[in-house]
Amino acid sequence: MTTPDPTPGFRERVLALVARIPEGRVMTYGQLALLAGNPGAARQAGFVLNSLVGGSDLPWQRVINAQGRVSTHKVGFGDMQERLLMAEGVEFRDGRCDLAARQWWPDEDRAAPPAPLL
């Protein structure tokens, strides 16, 4: 079953953002949805990225969940995603990366990061 894009152009905006994530840095699904213009559409951003796994040059592996964990274990790509990120210098401790150190925000959206919840 295909989930429709929440807003026209959402897929293209998500893909454009993913293409910009620098090596060794990460974004969360929720952050990606927010910056793509549809706050709260983290799951839909995940569906867009799921369509890329194994068939794209875009750095899909640089998008993780809000806990700093890889969410793709459920679909069989978690180990591969972790290996790709570790090859870029992203470290995982107890299955989490340090979002405070690794999360990337585009320069034009520097005001976007919310205060930490934890």
Side-chain angles (χ1 to χ4, degrees), residues 81-97:
Q81 184 176 7
E82 285 179 357
R83 283 193 306 273
L84 289 168
L85 287 169
M86 287 187 283
E88 295 182 7
V90 176
E91 296 177 4
F92 288 87
R93 179 170 291 168
D94 297 323
R96 292 180 176 204
C97 87

Side-chain angles (χ1 to χ4, degrees), residues 26-28 64-71 82 85 90-100:
V26 297
M27 264 191 175
T28 67
I64 60 176
N65 70 31
Q67 290 77 42
R69 296 182 185 275
V70 166
S71 294
E82 285 179 357
L85 287 169
V90 176
E91 296 177 4
F92 288 87
R93 179 170 291 168
D94 297 323
R96 292 180 176 204
C97 87
D98 181 359
L99 280 176

Side-chain angles (χ1 to χ4, degrees), residues 53-54 60-61 72-73 76-85:
V53 176
W60 61 268
Q61 73 275 8
T72 54
H73 288 289
F77 294 104
D79 290 341
M80 178 174 60
Q81 184 176 7
E82 285 179 357
R83 283 193 306 273
L84 289 168
L85 287 169

Side-chain angles (χ1 to χ4, degrees), residues 4-117:
D5 287 346
T7 59
F10 179 75
R11 177 182 172 77
E12 292 74 23
R13 290 190 302 276
V14 165
L15 297 178
L17 283 162
V18 170
R20 294 177 55 204
I21 304 171
E23 185 174 318
R25 303 297 295 274
V26 297
M27 264 191 175
T28 67
Y29 295 100
Q31 174 190 10
L32 191 55
L34 172 73
L35 294 174
N38 200 347
R43 186 168 298 220
Q44 288 83 357
F47 289 140
V48 170
L49 294 180
N50 192 41
S51 71
L52 299 179
V53 176
S56 174
D57 291 333
L58 288 176
W60 61 268
Q61 73 275 8
R62 296 178 187 156
V63 182
I64 60 176
N65 70 31
Q67 290 77 42
R69 296 182 185 275
V70 166
S71 294
T72 54
H73 288 289
K74 297 176 256 183
V75 292
F77 294 104
D79 290 341
M80 178 174 60
Q81 184 176 7
E82 285 179 357
R83 283 193 306 273
L84 289 168
L85 287 169
M86 287 187 283
E88 295 182 7
V90 176
E91 296 177 4
F92 288 87
R93 179 170 291 168
D94 297 323
R96 292 180 176 204
C97 87
D98 181 359
L99 280 176
R102 293 293 179 170
Q103 190 171 20
W104 177 75
W105 289 86
D107 288 337
E108 64 272 18
D109 293 306
R110 278 309 320 165
L117 298 174

